[in-house]
Amino acid sequence: MLRAEIAAAAARLIAEDGADYATAKKKAARQVLGNAKVRGEIMPDNAQIEEEVRVYNELFFADTQPARLLHLRKLAVRLMDDLARFSPYLTGAVLNGTAGEHSDIHLQLFAESAKDVEIFLLNKNVEFEVSETAHFSGRGDAVETVSFMWHGEGVHLALYETDDLRGAVKPGADGRPGRANGEAVRALIAESEQK
């Protein structure tokens, strides 16, 4: 019961405020439990929170969220076409369908060198910031991430080595893929436009 309550509170923080999952879990646990020590089995996993975000979006944003998601997916495909030489894959909320007002576009790119991507962006006059993201495999060093605004939307490019492309990305607990290439994203767009 507490686990479901924390998941629902976290989903609201994600959908309303654009909080990331880790921050939303911590804040939600504090809201529900106060300053009591949180046992691990009480904390919902990301799959449970993601499902609650879907429910929240359907309840409170049914009139705006589908159009917002479609807009972000179309922008993602355009950007993926521009970055085709770096084998781009869409990840995150724009892929899994939970993207809302505060969501950014997250792509994984695979290049011989992160500098190749940075030079490509500089040649396109894109101003970006560099940070790090955990490797999708959950092990190894963090990968460089380039972030910038594109057509009024936040974009984050996680820069992997080309060999990482062979690394399998496990589907989520719900069986959904963890990343999608341009063709798969186009199929998602076509599917939502038929509804």
Side-chain angles (χ1 to χ4, degrees):
M1 196 68 176
L2 284 174
R3 184 180 170 109
E5 193 174 339
I6 293 170
R12 184 189 56 76
L13 291 166
I14 291 165
E16 294 281 347
D17 303 332
D20 63 80
Y21 278 53
T23 303
K25 273 191 219 185
K26 288 177 190 170
K27 285 184 177 182
R30 257 194 317 275
Q31 286 174 2
V32 173
L33 302 170
N35 290 328
K37 187 164 175 106
V38 180
R39 294 189 322 270
E41 68 270 7
I42 291 176
M43 289 299 274
D45 60 16
N46 286 354
Q48 184 177 3
I49 293 172
E50 182 180 308
E51 189 53 39
E52 287 295 328
V53 172
R54 285 181 206 294
V55 170
Y56 194 93
N57 283 339
E58 288 174 15
L59 286 173
F60 298 103
F61 298 117
D63 56 337
T64 59
Q65 191 269 343
R68 171 77 178 146
L69 176 61
L70 182 61
H71 167 73
L72 289 172
R73 284 179 171 169
K74 285 181 174 181
L75 276 180
V77 164
R78 286 177 50 199
L79 184 56
M80 292 168 80
D81 287 345
D82 286 349
L83 297 166
R85 71 171 71 163
F86 304 114
S87 303
Y89 284 80
L90 180 64
T91 64
V94 178
L95 173 60
N96 71 31
T98 61
E101 179 184 348
H102 303 286
S103 298
D104 292 341
I105 297 169
H106 291 264
L107 298 178
Q108 293 176 349
L109 302 185
F110 298 86
E112 293 296 322
S113 165
K115 294 293 176 212
D116 294 343
V117 177
E118 292 172 0
I119 290 168
F120 177 84
L121 293 173
L122 288 171
N123 287 337
K124 296 265 188 187
N125 297 316
V126 175
E127 293 182 27
F128 55 85
E129 295 178 2
V130 179
S131 61
E132 289 187 340
T133 303
H135 196 287
F136 64 78
S137 68
R139 60 185 189 286
D141 296 329
V143 296
E144 192 172 304
T145 300
V146 175
S147 301
F148 55 91
M149 294 300 291
W150 190 70
H151 294 276
E153 302 294 347
V155 174
H156 308 279
L157 308 177
L159 309 179
Y160 293 91
E161 295 178 4
T162 52
D163 287 348
D164 287 327
L165 188 52
R166 291 190 301 245
V169 175
K170 295 177 185 168
D174 57 3
R176 296 173 198 260
R179 66 180 178 209
N181 63 17
E183 182 179 330
V185 178
R186 281 183 181 83
L188 290 171
I189 291 169
E191 181 182 311
S192 64
E193 287 180 329
Q194 290 175 356
K195 290 181 182 178

